[in-house]
Amino acid sequence: MRLGTSSDKEQALNLRDLMPALQNKSYFNYGGQGPLPSPSLDSIATSWEEIQKLGPFTNNVWPYLMNEVKKTKRYLGRLCGVSSNQIALTENVTSGCVLPLWGLPFKADQRILIGDCEHPGVIAACREIAKRNSLKIDILHVQQLREGLNERNTVDELVLKELKKAIRSNTKLVVLSHVLWNTGQIMPINLIAETLQTYPVKPYLLVDAAQSFGQIPIRDAAQTADIYAFTGHKWACGPEGLGGVAVSKRVLQDSSPTLIGWKSLQKEEGIHFANPHPFQKDARRFEIATSCIPLLAGLRCSLDLLETQGDVHSRLKRIQTLSMRLWTGLKSIEGVTTILEGPPPTGLISFTTTSNKSANTLVRHLGKKALWIRVLEDPEWLRACVHITTQESEVDTLIKEIQTSIT
């Protein structure tokens, strides 16, 4: 569903009112999962009903299903600045990272360079592929780069400097998030991609876009990365269980399918099929089998609703205004230390306290006040996220309650 009428757009302007999850709480966990708007839920239900009317496995239903997939891939391709043939639909970020990753051609003693702020799911996948292929893992130190966030060029230069220090002649893969899930810093993905192209080996670049999709502009990064994996259920406020990955033409040429099913194949053939190259030539080779088609309508609806709030640049400005308010308020509290020393570039704010209460105890206490933040485990930081649906009064209430709770 695309919000095309003026009445639709007027209704969507108050996006917060369309989210039942925001009616009885102050929600600061967008980096974990965003609330689903009611129109998106309705779109999912409508799609499900249509499939049942047509018959879930009839000749009548296939054109509808294929059209849903094509519309969604065109939409995601437009956001990522790539052809829809370079988009594979997945369940989440992790599968979007792992499915193309495991098909890349590695040789023993090649190296993987991975940032020290990556999510455990991606780290575990890289460790396992390194073990199975006798690869070496190096660490790209970006967590320590917490200064100068008000001068993006300075930060970009620091990241590139660390990259050049850490990369080796036999580095085959660089793994880094677009937005670091624990500090909220933005990594200069397009500049990193350009730098990697200057090396003789030209390492692949895998980007975890869990915290960028739906929050910041992604087009330049998605266009230049080899694997750009995202999910719809966080900042895009879509349904859980649906994500995607944009893969480069180089990955389509070099990477083999990993988990294989009928979607991976150009056509269904029996055990005696003679085709030596049976797999799809486009990103469908990284899709597997039956998936939940109604979720596609829900994600498109959520993305449409976000667009009624302004373009991605104006939405990010709103997020930055709110995160600055939260960051400034937290810094004013004695006993609270914000992880970023400079103004936050995104809606993720991590901090620690000197309170004798544990981080988990504080989160539980805030939850009883209908204020929801979370604990990060390694390192053990507290994290609060603001989005365009966050109210200034909620930010002020959270600051005041944290101050009261730790004194």
Side-chain angles (χ1 to χ4, degrees):
M1 180 186 81
R2 178 166 288 277
L3 298 172
T5 68
S6 58
S7 59
D8 284 333
K9 292 179 180 179
E10 287 170 7
Q11 183 190 30
L13 287 176
N14 198 350
L15 181 55
R16 181 185 177 86
D17 288 346
L18 300 178
M19 295 176 165
L22 301 186
Q23 305 313 306
N24 59 358
K25 65 184 70 65
S26 292
Y27 191 75
F28 297 95
N29 280 332
Y30 295 92
Q33 184 163 341
L36 186 69
S38 293
S40 301
L41 182 58
D42 292 341
S43 295
I44 295 170
T46 299
S47 178
W48 228 306
E49 289 169 0
E50 182 65 20
I51 290 170
Q52 295 307 310
K53 287 176 184 177
L54 294 168
F57 203 92
T58 64
N59 287 343
N60 292 336
V61 81
W62 305 129
Y64 174 80
L65 300 181
M66 288 188 289
N67 190 47
E68 284 295 286
V69 171
K70 287 179 180 177
K71 283 194 297 186
T72 304
K73 288 189 176 183
R74 283 199 299 267
Y75 201 142
L76 297 176
R78 175 175 62 82
L79 293 178
C80 293
V82 301
S83 165
S84 60
N85 290 333
Q86 293 173 252
I87 299 290
L89 298 176
T90 65
E91 290 184 329
N92 45 54
V93 170
T94 302
S95 58
C97 289
V98 172
L99 292 177
L101 165 65
W102 280 71
L104 293 176
F106 290 104
K107 295 179 181 178
D109 294 325
Q110 288 181 327
R111 311 183 82 91
I112 295 175
L113 177 61
I114 186 167
D116 61 359
C117 283
E118 295 311 292
H119 192 274
V122 177
I123 294 171
C126 289
R127 285 173 60 89
E128 185 63 19
I129 200 170
K131 184 174 75 172
R132 296 189 187 189
N133 293 277
S134 299
L135 309 176
K136 303 290 192 300
I137 292 182
D138 299 308
I139 306 300
L140 177 61
H141 296 285
V142 292
Q143 187 181 122
Q144 66 192 21
L145 306 178
R146 304 176 195 163
E147 299 179 0
L149 285 177
N150 58 333
E151 300 177 17
R152 287 299 309 148
N153 290 334
T154 301
V155 173
D156 292 352
E157 288 172 1
L158 290 173
V159 173
L160 293 176
K161 182 179 179 181
E162 288 297 317
L163 175 70
K164 291 172 182 177
K165 282 166 47 179
I167 202 165
R168 310 283 189 91
S169 60
N170 58 344
T171 298
K172 186 69 173 180
L173 173 71
V174 175
V175 179
L176 191 63
S177 293
H178 196 174
V179 173
L180 304 183
W181 76 298
N182 42 22
T183 71
Q185 286 179 304
I186 300 174
M187 295 292 98
I189 297 301
N190 56 327
L191 296 179
I192 291 171
E194 290 175 7
T195 301
L196 295 181
Q197 289 302 307
T198 66
Y199 287 83
V201 175
K202 294 182 177 58
Y204 298 103
L205 176 58
L206 185 156
V207 178
D208 180 332
Q211 304 299 335
S212 55
F213 184 76
Q215 182 181 195
I216 70 171
I218 65 169
R219 190 179 180 89
D220 288 346
Q223 282 179 325
T224 53
D226 288 295
I227 300 171
Y228 192 86
F230 52 88
T231 183
H233 77 276
K234 294 181 185 287
W235 297 89
C237 297
E240 64 268 34
L242 176 60
V245 57
V247 292
S248 68
K249 294 178 180 178
R250 180 166 70 137
V251 167
L252 289 178
Q253 177 180 326
D254 296 349
S255 184
S256 302
T258 46
L259 292 179
I260 294 169
W262 61 265
K263 280 188 179 178
S264 314
L265 301 170
Q266 294 186 52
K267 64 178 181 177
E268 295 184 38
E269 299 180 81
I271 192 67
H272 300 295
F273 69 80
N275 184 0
H277 304 290
F279 301 110
Q280 299 282 5
K281 299 185 187 313
D282 58 24
R284 287 174 293 175
R285 72 174 61 183
F286 302 117
E287 297 176 346
I288 306 166
T290 304
S291 56
C292 187
I293 295 298
L295 298 181
L296 306 183
L299 177 57
R300 294 198 309 272
C301 182
S302 290
L303 292 170
D304 281 343
L305 287 167
L306 284 178
E307 288 190 0
T308 67
Q309 309 301 293
D311 64 25
V312 66
H313 298 280
S314 62
R315 298 199 308 266
L316 179 57
K317 272 183 145 182
R318 169 65 178 162
I319 290 171
Q320 290 171 332
T321 298
L322 289 163
S323 62
M324 183 68 173
R325 189 183 189 98
L326 177 56
W327 177 80
T328 302
L330 291 173
K331 285 184 73 70
S332 70
I333 302 174
E334 185 176 352
V336 170
T337 300
T338 56
I339 299 306
L340 293 184
E341 296 180 14
T346 64
L348 287 81
I349 307 294
S350 294
F351 61 99
T352 61
T353 78
T354 57
S355 170
N356 55 9
K357 296 178 183 176
S358 71
N360 281 299
T361 298
L362 178 58
V363 167
R364 286 193 294 270
H365 169 78
L366 292 172
K368 291 177 182 178
K369 304 285 187 178
L371 298 162
W372 291 100
I373 68 172
R374 69 162 293 183
V375 178
L376 305 180
E377 294 183 4
D378 183 21
E380 188 177 276
W381 295 340
L382 293 153
R383 189 186 74 181
C385 301
V386 296
H387 206 343
I388 57 172
T389 46
T390 305
Q391 296 177 330
E392 292 181 353
S393 59
E394 291 180 297
V395 173
D396 295 340
T397 299
L398 177 62
I399 294 168
K400 182 177 179 180
E401 192 59 42
I402 291 173
Q403 183 172 26
T404 302
S405 301
I406 68 171
T407 56

